Amino acid sequence: MKKKAIIFALLVLFTLGGCSLPPPGAADGSPWDESWITVGNVIGVDTPEGLTPRENIDTLAANELYYATWSMGEGVTTGEGEEEITVYPAQVYLLLQGYETVEEAQDGTGEWLGLAKAQYTIDDIQDAAYNGQEFTVVTHTGDASAFGTYGNYAISVEISCQAGFDGDALAILSDFLEHCHYAA
């Protein structure tokens, strides 16, 4: 009977091990809201009006890599089979990478910023704070990106707009970042 109880207890522990509870609160003093899109149990996004949550992928969680997307407008599907994709007038991508130390996270953020500088034609770079979190914001060819470090996590948020999109990418990115909350 003891053996069955031990096996049952181990099964319960393994089952619960895959579950994670949301943080008790946010660094800005807000209680953690269950309606927020939680990314990596580190960022909670109170989705701004006009954006629709699309993906929240934590399949790379073992490597502390998390990815989430939001879209704006009606999507158009192109391609077939495995090559089928839906393209939206504007899409926000959030990438969160965990590291062992704060210094490594800062280096990771710096690498992402360096890649953006190499990949895009930069219009402007500025430092800004959104909901208490510091970011380096880069505007480039109608799109905008933000790079920051929260504890031992590197954060990259980018808005990509299709040709003909009449919205303001920087304003949408700023609004999105103001709606981000960070685990206390």
Side-chain angles (χ1 to χ4, degrees):
M1 188 66 171
K2 250 185 180 178
K3 191 174 187 178
K4 285 183 182 179
I6 291 172
I7 291 172
F8 178 74
L10 288 173
L11 285 173
V12 167
L13 285 175
F14 286 129
T15 303
L16 293 176
C19 302
S20 61
L21 297 173
D28 62 10
S30 305
W32 202 265
D33 190 319
E34 293 292 326
S35 70
W36 294 344
I37 304 298
T38 301
V39 181
N41 229 19
V42 174
I43 299 175
V45 181
D46 178 16
T47 302
E49 188 174 327
L51 288 174
T52 302
R54 293 288 168 197
E55 298 177 288
N56 189 356
I57 301 172
D58 64 356
T59 55
L60 302 173
N63 294 328
E64 289 275 342
L65 182 62
Y66 307 90
Y67 171 81
T69 64
W70 289 258
S71 68
M72 181 176 274
E74 292 296 318
V76 175
T77 302
T78 62
E80 293 182 21
E82 290 182 18
E83 295 183 17
E84 183 177 286
I85 61 167
T86 302
V87 179
Y88 296 92
Q91 193 152 353
V92 175
Y93 303 89
L94 187 154
L95 188 60
L96 177 69
Q97 174 73 59
Y99 291 90
E100 292 283 324
T101 66
V102 171
E103 292 77 19
E104 289 174 337
Q106 291 168 337
D107 290 345
T109 300
E111 287 178 27
W112 285 345
L113 179 58
L115 287 172
K117 289 177 179 178
Q119 182 178 357
Y120 302 123
T121 301
I122 304 298
D123 296 328
D124 188 37
I125 298 176
Q126 57 184 308
D127 291 326
Y130 301 96
N131 199 18
Q133 176 61 39
E134 295 288 327
F135 286 95
T136 299
V137 179
V138 179
T139 53
H140 43 90
T141 322
D143 297 336
S145 303
F147 304 94
T149 305
Y150 182 73
N152 63 322
Y153 287 89
I155 304 165
S156 170
V157 181
E158 181 171 330
I159 179 166
S160 177
C161 304
Q162 297 299 312
F165 178 71
D166 62 357
D168 181 341
L170 182 57
I172 295 166
L173 178 68
S174 297
D175 187 38
F176 181 86
L177 293 172
E178 283 292 344
H179 283 81
C180 290
H181 304 269
Y182 304 87

